[in-house]
Amino acid sequence: GDPKVPVLYEVERTRTGKSFSVRSVKAIQHGKPIFTCQASFQLSQASPVQHQFTMPAVPPPEELLTQEELIQKFLQNPNLAERYRKHLNKIQAEDVPIDIKPVNPPDIFSSEPQEPKQLFWVRARGYIGETDMKVHCCVAAYISDYAFLGTALLPHRQHHIKFMVSLDHSMWFHAPFRADHWMLYECESPWAGGCRGLVQGRLWRRDGVLAVTCAQEGVIRVEQTPHQSKL
């Protein structure tokens, strides 16, 4: 999309029922769709059928460093290679409105394969407050996309990424939450292949309640090392 151009939204009332309703939304710029969304809404209903996974046991956010603090720690190393220093400065220059505390931060200087799983404590910067829950859902949607697809790259850190972009992103909201309070973001990639990667995520409230489930598929293209004959 072009941030300098107004967006025209076309909304279709796909279905309107007593308990569930569906709306299809198309965002248009320059006469072409740049985004499509299908949103499902439900009236609040009680049910005895309830279960959820168990939240991973991790250190609380107060005991962990923020992503900025981790980067600053690396930059203070006088032996840091210049290419790594440029990469870290580029990350640090990004104006990301999210507080992030990695639970097990990967060694950014290693190309060794890692398990395709990540854990972050995340929250929106600033105060949102007890406002409409839809506002917190919108902020969570923004948070959920950050570093999500990168989970599929952890077993393939020896490759240089040429192109990576999301194809689709789905979210299911299970329980009320505050996007400006710390939540644990559990990310894992069960599969990658054919220049695509699949990732799944769960946003947990600090009290162990599963608030949001996410899934994303994206394009991942890497520079492939030419095969050299040993003859």
Side-chain angles (χ1 to χ4, degrees):
D2 186 346
K4 299 178 182 178
V5 178
V7 180
L8 174 65
Y9 292 97
E10 289 186 357
V11 180
E12 176 187 344
R13 298 190 178 193
T14 309
R15 181 178 184 274
T16 301
K18 293 182 179 179
S19 299
F20 293 88
S21 295
V22 178
R23 298 292 182 264
S24 299
V25 183
K26 183 186 296 183
I28 300 172
Q29 279 186 334
H30 304 294
K32 297 181 179 180
I34 59 170
F35 172 82
T36 58
C37 168
Q38 187 172 77
S40 178
F41 303 90
Q42 179 194 7
L43 290 175
S44 180
Q45 295 175 302
S47 171
V49 180
Q50 297 185 53
H51 74 269
Q52 67 165 49
F53 284 174
T54 301
M55 178 178 170
V58 299
E62 291 78 14
E63 297 180 8
L64 300 171
L65 297 176
T66 65
Q67 181 167 278
E68 289 83 357
E69 291 169 335
L70 288 168
I71 290 175
Q72 195 59 40
K73 187 176 179 181
F74 282 123
L75 289 173
Q76 290 174 355
N77 183 352
N79 299 319
L80 182 64
E82 187 60 27
R83 61 192 177 99
Y84 291 130
R85 191 175 297 277
K86 288 182 178 179
H87 176 65
L88 291 174
N89 282 324
K90 183 179 179 181
I91 296 175
Q92 200 172 40
E94 295 177 355
D95 187 17
V96 180
I98 312 170
D99 286 325
I100 304 166
K101 292 192 173 186
V103 175
N104 294 305
D107 184 352
I108 62 173
F109 309 123
S110 173
S111 60
E112 290 297 316
Q114 290 184 268
E115 188 179 13
K117 291 185 178 182
Q118 296 192 87
L119 289 164
F120 307 92
W121 284 104
V122 293
R123 69 179 178 186
R125 286 181 177 167
Y127 177 78
I128 299 177
E130 297 286 352
T131 183
D132 192 322
M133 187 60 209
K134 290 189 288 292
V135 174
H136 289 282
C137 290
C138 290
V139 175
Y142 181 92
I143 290 174
S144 69
D145 192 45
Y146 187 80
F148 197 23
L149 193 55
T151 308
L153 295 173
L154 292 177
H156 315 284
R157 303 181 72 198
Q158 72 274 23
H159 295 293
H160 179 71
I161 306 304
K162 291 198 305 181
F163 181 75
M164 184 170 68
V165 67
S166 170
L167 288 172
D168 52 59
H169 189 98
S170 300
M171 301 184 72
W172 296 264
F173 298 94
H174 311 306
F177 61 90
R178 285 276 299 269
D180 54 350
H181 288 180
W182 285 116
M183 292 188 292
L184 182 67
Y185 195 17
E186 180 186 10
C187 308
E188 58 185 358
S189 174
W191 175 89
C195 294
R196 291 179 293 130
L198 177 67
V199 288
Q200 299 169 341
R202 289 178 283 274
L203 275 168
W204 299 88
R205 295 189 333 206
R206 289 194 67 166
D207 60 0
V209 171
L210 179 59
V212 186
T213 298
C214 316
Q216 185 179 92
E217 185 182 43
V219 177
I220 301 176
R221 301 192 190 279
V222 301
E223 290 183 357
Q224 299 189 28
T225 304
H227 178 73
Q228 294 181 347
S229 174
K230 296 182 179 181
L231 296 179

